[in-house]
Amino acid sequence: MTPLKDIQKEQHCFHCGDVVVKANYEVDGHDFCCLGCKSVYQVLNQHKLTHYYKYNTHPGISVRKDKSQYFYLADESIANSLLDYKDDHIAVVTFYVPTIHCSSCIWLLEKLHKLHRGITNTRADFLRKEVRITFCHDIIKLKQLVELLTEIGYAPIITLKDTSSKRKKKDSNRLVRKIAVAGFCFGNSMMISFPEYFGLGTFERNYAQLFGVVNLLFTLPIMLYSGQDYFVSSIKSIRQGRLNLDIPLTLGIIVLFLRSVWEILTGSGAGFSDTLCGLLFFLLIGRWVQQKTYHHLSFERDYRSYFPVAVTKIDAGEEKTVALSALQVGDRILIRNNEIIPADAILLKGAACIDFSFVTGESNPVDKILGEIIYAGGKQTEQAIELEVVKPVSQSYLTSLWNDQKNKKGQVSFQSFSNKISRYFTPILLLIAFISLFFWFYIGEPGRAWSAFTAVLIIGCPCALALSSPFTLSAVLSVFDRNGLFMKDTLAIEKMAGIDTLVFDKTGTISTLHQEELPFKGSLPATEASMVFSVCRNSNHPLSRKIVQSLQGTCEMLPISSYAEIPGKGIRAIIKNKEVLIGSYSFVVGTDEQFYKGPGTYVRIGGHVRGVFSMEQKWRDGLESLIKALSSSYELHLLSGDVDRDSSALSSIFPQRDYLNFNQLPADKLHYISGLQQNGKKVAMIGDGLNDAGALKCADLGLAVSDDVNNFSPACDAIMSGTSFSKFCRFLGFSKKAMHIIYCSFAISLLYNIVGMYFATQGNLSPLLAAILMPLSTITIISFTSLTTRLYARKYTL
C-alpha cells in the first residue's frame, strides 16, 4: 500500500482553476498553470486588487491568448470605427466579452481604472456579457486597452460590424431553439405518459420501466439546455444576497428531476418527466412572448418616444420637420439650443458647444469646429447649428443610452410586485416543505416524509405567478403605445398604478398656444425684428417657435456673437454689439422700469424695452372634465413658472386653490416635489420636459407631455403625446386595473397551489395530479391575463 505521504495531490491553478501539470510557476505560496495566470496575479497584487479572489474560488480565466492578433487596431481609422464616442480627450467603446462568468469578473472589470490611469470608468453588463469603457485616448490607445483586457483574461470579441444587433438576433434565435427542444420533449413525454394517466394494461405494464427510462431521457435536454437560464439567474441572485422568483422555479425543476430519477430507477413510480418538460415549455413560451413584445415596441420606445420624434431638416433652403426614421445619411439638419443631436453628423455652420454629459458623464461642454464630427447624444447649449448626417440613427451611440439603467443616477428606488412577492414566497415555500418533512419523520414514516418534502417543492413552483406579470404588463405597454403614451418599461406601469398625487406644470402641459400670429405691443423696427427672429430661431422653446413662425418671411438671419438660454427666464444674446433679452417680465423688464405688465414674451434690445409679444394661451381640450375626474382619486397640484394672472381661471378648474403655485423656478419645482415625498406622497410630475427635468427625475413617476416632436427628456419615465392628454385619466385607471389583473392572477395561482399543497403535504401527490395542475394553472393564468387585459382596454376605449 502506498504511504499517505507519497500520494501526490492534484494541484489547481490559483487563478483559473486548471490542473497544474508542472509546478514551475509559484508566487506567494500559490501555484499557477502558466506564465499568463502568474502574471495576472502579480498585476492584481501590485495594484492591491487581490480581493478579486475572495468573491469566488478560481474566478479567473486561463490567459493563453496571443495579443499580437490585435495589430490592426494600430490603424486609426479602424480603431475609430469601433468607438461609440470620441472627442478631443475622451473615448467610449463597448466590447463583447464572452468570458464574463461571475461576480468576480464584474468586480475586476469595474476596477480597470486602477490598472491604468487612462481608464476613467467601466460598466460591465453580466447578462449581455458586455463591458463599456470610457478612457482618455491621448493616454491609452484602443489597441493598448484591448491588450490590457486580454492580459488579464478578458479578451473581447471584435468585429467591424454591428455586433450588438447580431447578438440580439442570436439571443432571440437561441430562445426559439430552447422552446423547440422543450416542446419536442414535452410532446413526446406526454404521449408516452398517456397509458400511465388512464391506467396500465397488461401490455403496458410489461414496458412501464422502459417507458419511464425513455421519459427520463427526454428530461436531460430540458435540464442541460432549455432550463439553464433559470439556474444561472438563481445562482446570480443568491450571490447578490436577494431572492427572486427564479429560485423557487429552479428548486421545483431540480426536485422534479431528482424525484423522477429516483422513482423510475427504483421502480417505485412513474416520475414527473412530463410535468417537468411541460413546466419549462410554458415558462419559455412566456419569456418569448415578453421578448417579442419588447422587440416589437423597441423602435417606438427607443426612437420615437425617448429621443426626438422628428428633426428639422434643411432642404433647398427651406426648413421642414421630418420623422427621425426618415433621416438619412447626407441630410442637412438644424439643431437648436437644448436639442439633442440624433445621429452622428459633421458640423457645417454655427458655433457648436456640445454638452455630452448624457454620453460620458462629463458636465463641461465641448467646443466643436467646422468640419468636425459630432456624435449623437450630445446637446447643443448655444445658438442653432447646421449639421450633415454621416451615420444612420439606428447605428448611433444614442440608441443604447436610454435603456442603460446605470446612467440614471439618483432615481427613486422602486420594487415591482414580483420582487416583493419573491421575498416572502421562497421562505414560506421552504418552511412548508421542511414542516412536512419533520412531521412525517416524527410520526415514523420516513418514506412519506421525503415524498411530502419533494411534492411541496414541486407543486409550490410559482410558474403561473412568474408568467402573470410579463404577460399582463407587456400587453398594457402595447396598448399605451398605440394610444400615444410611451412608457420606458413595465416598471413604469407599476409606478403609475401606485401614484396618489399629481403635480402639473402649466405652460405646454395643461395649456397650449393656439394663435397663428402673435401681435406685438410696442415698437419693433425691421432691423430689430430680424434680431428677435435670429435669436428665437436658435431656441427650442415653444414660445420661441411661435415667434419665429410669426416673423417668418419678413425677417433675415443675422449673425449672433453670444447666446445663452436661462431655464425658466428667457434668452440673452448679442447681435451687432447690442444685447438682446427675450423672456419673462422679471427677466427682461425688471422692477426698475414702468412698462405694461401682462401675458406674453417681452423684448429688450440695447437696454431699451421694445414691447411684448401678446400670447393667448388656451387650456387643452377636455382639461376641466379631466381635472374633475382626477380630483376624486388624486391630490392635484399646479406648479407654474408664470405669474398668477390665470389664478382665478385655474381656481375654478382645480379643486384646491392652496395647491396652485406660481412664479416657480425649476429648482423650486424640484424642492416642492421632494417636500410632498417627504410627507409620504407617491408623486407623478407631469411637465413639458423643457424646464422640468429636475422635477421629472425627482418624482416617483416623471411624465413629459410633448406637442413639439423635437423635444427630448432623459429624466422622464414616460412621454405622452399632447393629443392624448385627454386620455390621461383613462391611462391611470388602466394601469391600476393592470395591477388588479396581476393580483387576481396571483390569487388564482395561489388557489392552485393550495389545492396541490393539500395532496403534497400528505405525500400523496401523483404524477397525474401534477401533470394536470401545473399546465392547467399556467394555461389559466395566460388566458386570464390576456383576455382580461383586452377587455379592460376596450372598457377604457384605448
Side-chain angles (χ1 to χ4, degrees):
M1 185 174 180
T2 305
L4 185 63
K5 65 179 181 178
D6 295 332
I7 296 177
Q8 296 294 320
K9 293 184 179 180
E10 192 176 63
Q11 294 178 311
H12 293 271
C13 177
F14 181 70
H15 178 71
C16 70
D18 287 354
V19 176
V20 177
V21 180
K22 294 181 179 180
N24 295 333
Y25 307 102
E26 183 178 349
V27 178
D28 298 337
H30 304 304
D31 295 312
F32 300 92
C33 65
C34 63
L35 181 60
C37 289
K38 175 184 173 182
S39 300
V40 173
Y41 173 81
Q42 289 175 322
V43 169
L44 297 180
N45 189 42
Q46 179 184 350
H47 293 86
K48 298 180 180 180
L49 293 175
T50 50
H51 288 290
Y52 171 69
Y53 299 100
K54 292 184 178 181
Y55 287 92
N56 293 284
T57 304
H58 309 309
I61 305 297
S62 181
V63 186
R64 294 167 184 163
K65 197 151 186 172
D66 183 11
K67 295 187 291 184
S68 64
Q69 64 173 307
Y70 301 114
F71 67 93
Y72 57 86
L73 293 178
D75 188 315
E76 196 74 15
S77 61
I78 294 177
N80 288 339
S81 67
L82 294 171
L83 297 177
D84 297 327
Y85 167 81
K86 184 180 180 182
D87 61 22
D88 293 339
H89 305 288
I90 298 295
V92 180
V93 65
T94 302
F95 287 129
Y96 175 54
V97 185
T99 50
I100 296 176
H101 70 289
C102 65
S103 57
S104 297
C105 301
I106 304 296
W107 184 87
L108 177 59
L109 287 171
E110 295 194 347
K111 294 290 188 295
L112 284 181
H113 61 278
K114 292 190 175 182
L115 297 181
H116 198 291
R117 66 186 182 88
I119 300 173
T120 60
N121 187 37
T122 309
R123 305 280 183 156
D125 189 320
F126 178 82
L127 295 178
R128 294 182 180 179
K129 295 187 182 298
E130 287 182 346
V131 56
R132 189 173 79 240
I133 304 172
T134 304
F135 63 100
C136 300
H137 58 81
D138 48 354
I139 299 177
I140 179 173
K141 299 298 182 184
L142 183 66
K143 181 174 180 288
Q144 295 174 289
L145 176 61
V146 172
E147 289 175 346
L148 174 61
L149 287 171
T150 305
E151 184 180 338
I152 62 174
Y154 295 96
I157 300 297
I158 298 178
T159 68
L160 298 183
K161 296 181 180 180
D162 186 2
T163 56
S164 179
S165 61
K166 285 178 66 179
R167 280 196 299 278
K168 285 180 182 178
K169 185 175 180 181
K170 182 178 178 181
D171 290 343
S172 178
N173 292 337
R174 181 167 169 264
L175 180 58
V176 171
R177 288 195 295 270
K178 288 185 176 183
I179 292 173
V181 170
F184 173 80
C185 296
F186 176 47
N188 284 279
S189 181
M190 286 290 290
M191 181 180 66
I192 293 174
S193 300
F194 269 124
E196 189 74 37
Y197 299 156
F198 299 108
L200 293 173
T202 304
F203 176 79
E204 288 85 358
R205 266 194 293 270
N206 295 330
Y207 295 94
Q209 187 75 8
L210 175 62
F211 289 159
V213 172
V214 172
N215 251 342
L216 194 59
L217 291 176
F218 280 124
T219 63
L220 294 180
I222 292 285
M223 295 294 294
L224 299 176
Y225 180 64
S226 296
Q228 61 182 252
D229 290 343
Y230 292 97
F231 300 132
V232 171
S233 174
S234 298
I235 293 171
K236 180 182 175 183
S237 177
I238 292 172
R239 282 178 174 173
Q240 293 177 349
R242 58 184 178 84
L243 298 176
N244 62 15
L245 281 180
D246 285 344
I247 293 176
L249 283 171
T250 303
L251 277 175
I253 292 169
I254 292 173
V255 171
L256 277 168
F257 178 72
L258 293 178
R259 184 164 171 182
S260 298
V261 171
W262 172 260
E263 289 189 2
I264 291 170
L265 295 184
T266 61
S268 59
F272 298 85
S273 301
D274 53 334
T275 306
L276 173 59
C277 295
L279 170 64
L280 261 299
F281 177 68
F282 284 113
L283 286 173
L284 292 173
I285 286 288
R287 178 172 288 187
W288 176 77
V289 170
Q290 182 182 20
Q291 185 184 89
K292 186 177 179 182
T293 303
Y294 282 179
H295 286 178
H296 173 70
L297 297 176
S298 63
F299 180 83
E300 303 291 331
R301 295 167 57 236
D302 290 345
Y303 298 89
R304 269 200 352 208
S305 306
Y306 298 105
F307 300 101
V309 180
V311 68
T312 302
K313 178 181 174 182
I314 301 175
D315 190 4
E318 294 185 1
E319 299 175 8
K320 60 180 181 180
T321 299
V322 297
L324 197 62
S325 57
L327 197 63
Q328 297 180 359
V329 173
D331 286 347
R332 188 164 181 154
I333 59 176
L334 177 72
I335 300 296
R336 301 176 180 85
N337 177 266
N338 276 330
E339 282 188 354
I340 294 289
I341 298 166
D344 299 346
I346 293 176
L347 179 62
L348 299 179
K349 185 178 179 181
C353 187
I354 311 298
D355 176 8
F356 282 110
S357 59
F358 189 51
V359 178
T360 65
E362 296 291 335
S363 57
N364 296 327
V366 179
D367 292 323
K368 296 290 183 179
I369 61 175
L370 297 180
E372 192 172 357
I373 290 182
I374 301 179
Y375 287 86
K379 182 173 68 174
Q380 169 66 345
T381 61
E382 293 187 357
Q383 57 185 283
I385 55 177
E386 294 182 15
L387 307 161
E388 182 178 320
V389 177
V390 296
K391 187 182 287 188
V393 178
S394 60
Q395 295 180 20
S396 74
Y397 184 48
L398 178 65
T399 60
S400 65
L401 291 177
W402 177 263
N403 287 327
D404 182 6
Q405 295 296 326
K406 294 177 183 178
N407 246 356
K408 300 189 71 180
K409 298 178 181 179
Q411 188 179 31
V412 178
S413 59
F414 184 82
Q415 275 201 325
S416 66
F417 175 71
S418 296
N419 288 338
K420 291 177 182 177
I421 290 297
S422 62
R423 292 172 54 191
Y424 305 103
F425 190 94
T426 305
I428 291 174
L429 178 64
L430 291 174
L431 180 63
I432 295 174
F434 279 107
I435 289 175
S436 301
L437 176 70
F438 293 135
F439 174 78
W440 290 110
F441 259 118
Y442 178 75
I443 64 175
E445 297 189 34
R448 203 167 185 179
W450 287 113
S451 179
F453 178 74
T454 56
V456 169
L457 295 178
I458 291 171
I459 206 66
C461 179
C463 52
L465 179 60
L467 291 173
S468 61
S469 289
F471 267 89
T472 304
L473 296 177
S474 297
V476 174
L477 198 70
S478 181
V479 171
F480 281 163
D481 176 74
R482 292 196 303 269
N483 285 272
L485 175 62
F486 305 101
M487 311 294 288
K488 181 189 177 299
D489 50 28
T490 55
L491 194 63
I493 300 173
E494 294 196 46
K495 289 181 181 179
M496 179 180 277
I499 293 300
D500 56 28
T501 303
L502 302 175
V503 179
F504 291 90
D505 176 46
K506 186 174 79 71
T507 305
T509 303
I510 66 172
S511 67
T512 181
L513 293 171
H514 75 284
Q515 58 204 85
E516 294 299 325
E517 295 185 359
L518 305 179
F520 186 78
K521 296 180 179 180
S523 175
L524 195 64
T527 303
E528 294 186 346
S530 293
M531 290 182 178
V532 174
F533 173 79
S534 301
V535 171
C536 289
R537 183 177 178 269
N538 293 278
S539 173
N540 189 38
H541 196 281
L543 300 180
S544 298
R545 295 286 188 89
K546 277 293 181 181
I547 293 174
V548 170
Q549 184 181 345
S550 177
L551 297 176
Q552 190 86 37
T554 61
C555 300
E556 60 176 332
M557 279 294 300
L558 301 176
I560 299 176
S561 303
S562 174
Y563 179 94
E565 192 164 342
I566 297 91
K569 294 183 178 180
I571 306 170
R572 177 183 285 112
I574 295 178
I575 300 180
K576 294 183 176 182
N577 296 322
K578 287 187 176 182
E579 184 184 53
V580 179
L581 297 180
I582 304 173
S584 66
Y585 183 91
S586 58
F587 177 69
V588 174
V589 180
T591 58
D592 297 334
E593 298 186 39
Q594 296 296 322
F595 192 82
Y596 164 78
K597 184 176 181 180
T601 298
Y602 293 82
V603 176
R604 185 187 191 111
I605 300 176
H608 302 287
V609 179
R610 296 305 187 192
V612 58
F613 284 97
S614 181
M615 297 184 181
E616 181 184 348
Q617 299 186 52
K618 73 167 186 176
W619 310 128
R620 289 192 183 274
D621 293 336
L623 175 65
E624 191 168 352
S625 58
L626 173 66
I627 296 299
K628 184 177 179 181
L630 292 172
S631 61
S632 60
S633 304
Y634 299 92
E635 187 176 290
L636 306 180
H637 297 252
L638 178 75
L639 297 178
S640 174
D642 295 338
V643 295
D644 59 355
R645 61 177 178 265
D646 295 317
S647 59
S648 58
L650 289 170
S651 297
S652 63
I653 298 176
F654 281 79
Q656 289 185 272
R657 186 184 179 89
D658 293 342
Y659 292 161
L660 303 181
N661 302 273
F662 299 92
N663 298 306
Q664 298 289 300
L665 296 175
D668 298 329
K669 295 180 180 181
L670 191 151
H671 294 146
Y672 191 89
I673 297 290
S674 299
L676 290 173
Q677 290 174 325
Q678 290 173 6
N679 290 328
K681 303 292 184 182
K682 296 295 182 182
V683 184
M685 174 66 194
I686 303 95
D688 61 7
L690 293 170
N691 300 323
D692 306 320
L696 287 168
K697 189 172 184 178
C698 175
D700 297 278
L701 176 76
L703 193 153
V705 179
S706 178
D707 285 315
D708 191 339
V709 292
N710 297 73
N711 288 350
F712 167 75
S713 180
C716 63
D717 296 293
I719 288 181
M720 181 167 62
S721 169
T723 57
S724 301
F725 185 77
S726 60
K727 300 179 181 179
F728 185 46
C729 187
R730 282 177 274 170
F731 290 146
L732 291 167
F734 189 45
S735 67
K736 290 183 180 293
K737 291 301 180 185
M739 295 309 300
H740 291 165
I741 293 170
I742 294 175
Y743 300 151
C744 290
S745 62
F746 173 68
I748 295 171
S749 174
L750 196 62
L751 181 62
Y752 276 110
N753 281 357
I754 291 173
V755 173
M757 286 289 181
Y758 172 77
F759 295 98
T761 52
Q762 299 181 61
N764 294 327
L765 179 67
S766 67
L768 175 60
L769 183 61
I772 292 173
L773 278 180
M774 297 189 76
L776 184 61
S777 65
T778 302
I779 293 171
T780 303
I781 292 300
I782 293 173
S783 302
F784 173 77
T785 56
S786 301
L787 292 174
T788 312
T789 303
R790 285 175 173 78
L791 287 173
Y792 277 125
R794 288 184 181 180
K795 176 183 176 182
Y796 287 93
T797 61
L798 294 175

